Amino acid sequence: RYELDFRLITAIAQQESNLCKVIPEGTYNCWGWGIHSRGTLGFESFEEGIEAVSRGLREEYFNKGLRTPDEIMTKYTPLSNGSWAAGVNTFMEEMQ
């Protein structure tokens, strides 16, 4: 639907929450999407989270030229020292 690499959403969930093992209670938010000092975004289900994150990645990242994990990191988690993108890249490679 959003023409994303099928591995990206899973790799981000692995990097952010160990595949949903460590998430804010009741949020269904495995991707760290909208989790910041002002609050935490929650979803009604994992399906809703997958849809919202996929749409958001397409509209706010890919459509604006941020396509690789290294490029996405600059907006998704700008304070990262590079470890976020390295983790996402590693998880994506493991899924090939």
Side-chain angles (χ1 to χ4, degrees):
R1 174 183 293 171
Y2 298 106
E3 299 178 2
L4 302 173
D5 185 322
F6 74 94
R7 302 168 300 159
L8 181 60
I9 294 294
T10 304
I12 291 173
Q14 175 67 38
Q15 179 65 26
E16 289 286 336
S17 69
N18 197 13
L19 294 176
C20 308
K21 291 181 182 128
V22 182
I23 63 173
E25 188 173 339
T27 65
Y28 298 96
N29 188 342
C30 306
W31 305 273
W33 191 259
I35 296 176
H36 44 67
S37 62
R38 295 182 308 263
T40 298
L41 179 64
F43 305 109
E44 294 294 319
S45 65
F46 292 120
E47 293 82 6
E48 181 186 26
I50 291 167
E51 171 66 21
V53 173
S54 297
R55 183 179 59 250
L57 284 169
R58 166 50 63 194
E59 294 173 357
E60 298 299 323
Y61 293 80
F62 278 69
N63 288 353
K64 295 178 180 181
L66 305 172
R67 298 176 178 272
T68 68
D70 292 282
E71 293 166 343
I72 292 167
M73 178 183 67
T74 64
K75 181 176 179 182
Y76 200 100
T77 179
L79 299 179
S80 176
N81 63 2
S83 62
W84 186 90
V88 172
N89 280 317
T90 297
F91 299 131
M92 289 180 73
E93 289 170 14
E94 291 175 357
M95 287 185 265
Q96 286 187 356

